[in-house]
Amino acid sequence: LAKTTQPISMDSYEGQEVNITCSHNNIATNDYITWYQQFPSQGPRFIIQGYKTKVTNEVASLFIPADRKSSTLSLPRVSLSDTAVYYCLVGDNFGNEKLTFGTGTRLTIIP
Amino acid sequence: DGGITQSPKYLFRKEGQNVTLSCEQNLNHDAMYWYRQDPGQGLRLIYYSQIVNDFQKGDIAEGYSVSREKKESFPLTVTSAQKNPTAFYLCASRAGTSSYNEQFFGPGTRLTVL
């Protein structure tokens, strides 16, 4: 399983763009990169997933460089409701069920 | 509404007692998971099941047991052998093992051992 490294915490002001980077130096060829968001006392929820280059949905963008050894979750114009823990997961979707959640990045949005 | 339900939301038990946490899904998902989360920590995998009547140990299975007799149900029993059972327990499910199969999580059960 590819190990991931993320910053423990980040602060940002409302309205700014926030970028959270995840390192996964030993990512395997079949691995996808998935980000989840978790609010206190709730289960995580899926934000975005990608394999290479750039993926964008209504919530966020995910940038993956050519070597795939890192990825960056980008949240545009954050609000107070984006205060949460964000997890980066790297895993093989083709049979490897042991997706590992690290400690994540605690993002605090400041008014 | 489709989704995952966990019950109860809060659970208290006396030291030395076994307790079973419920997890039900109506998403017709094949795979189901149990995680444990301690304060300020990430999620740690306890057990997972890819198909009915089959399950595998995760990273911290000691002191826990599961069953998967039905596709929609994956109960977790916290036994008296679990030394530090007080934690937030999360159940999740996933459609299968092909790409883009996100995990859907239940609301969690907070277990406190008195």
Side-chain angles (χ1 to χ4, degrees):
Chain A
L1 289 173
K3 178 179 168 59
T4 60
T5 303
Q6 305 174 234
I8 294 175
S9 64
M10 293 179 67
D11 295 337
S12 179
Y13 288 99
E14 273 191 293
Q16 292 189 334
E17 178 184 79
V18 171
N19 296 311
I20 305 175
T21 298
C22 178
S23 297
H24 28 81
N25 291 320
N26 58 340
I27 189 169
T29 303
N30 291 334
D31 286 344
Y32 280 75
I33 300 156
T34 311
W35 286 80
Y36 285 81
Q37 175 192 55
Q38 186 183 25
F39 297 114
S41 297
Q42 295 184 25
R45 67 169 187 166
F46 173 90
I47 300 176
I48 197 165
Q49 185 181 68
Y51 183 80
K52 62 180 180 180
T53 63
K54 177 184 174 182
V55 179
T56 297
N57 62 22
E58 64 277 7
V59 176
S61 294
L62 179 59
F63 298 92
I64 305 168
D67 65 7
R68 303 202 325 123
K69 294 185 183 299
S70 66
S71 59
T72 299
L73 173 72
S74 181
L75 304 172
R77 297 179 299 282
V78 293
S79 64
L80 294 176
S81 63
D82 292 314
T83 294
V85 177
Y86 292 83
Y87 296 95
C88 165
L89 277 73
V90 173
D92 170 3
N93 275 328
F94 294 92
N96 183 347
E97 295 294 331
K98 288 183 67 175
L99 298 177
T100 301
F101 286 76
T103 54
T105 297
R106 186 173 300 275
L107 175 64
T108 301
I109 306 304
I110 305 166
Chain B
D1 286 337
I4 302 177
T5 57
Q6 291 185 243
S7 61
K9 190 171 179 61
Y10 298 96
L11 186 59
F12 298 88
R13 82 155 215 222
K14 292 182 179 179
E15 199 169 337
Q17 290 181 336
N18 292 354
V19 63
T20 298
L21 281 59
S22 168
C23 177
E24 304 279 331
Q25 54 99 358
N26 60 4
L27 300 167
N28 199 34
H29 285 172
D30 292 312
M32 296 187 73
Y33 309 77
W34 274 105
Y35 293 91
R36 169 185 173 135
Q37 187 172 37
D38 293 288
Q41 303 297 313
L43 281 69
R44 292 186 289 169
L45 183 64
I46 305 173
Y47 267 99
Y48 63 98
S49 169
Q50 295 176 261
I51 197 169
V52 174
N53 292 322
D54 183 62
F55 48 83
Q56 306 295 328
K57 291 182 179 180
D59 299 318
I60 55 165
E62 185 175 350
Y64 300 97
S65 65
V66 294
S67 63
R68 188 83 186 278
E69 297 176 0
K70 298 185 296 182
K71 188 175 186 178
E72 59 270 22
S73 179
F74 191 41
L76 172 75
T77 297
V78 184
T79 75
S80 56
Q82 170 49 236
K83 300 304 180 189
N84 294 298
T86 294
F88 187 48
Y89 291 87
L90 286 159
C91 179
S93 70
R94 196 165 93 161
T97 56
S98 59
S99 62
Y100 281 74
N101 284 321
E102 66 185 85
Q103 284 187 313
F104 291 83
F105 283 83
T109 292
R110 190 167 298 279
L111 173 64
T112 302
V113 175
L114 304 173

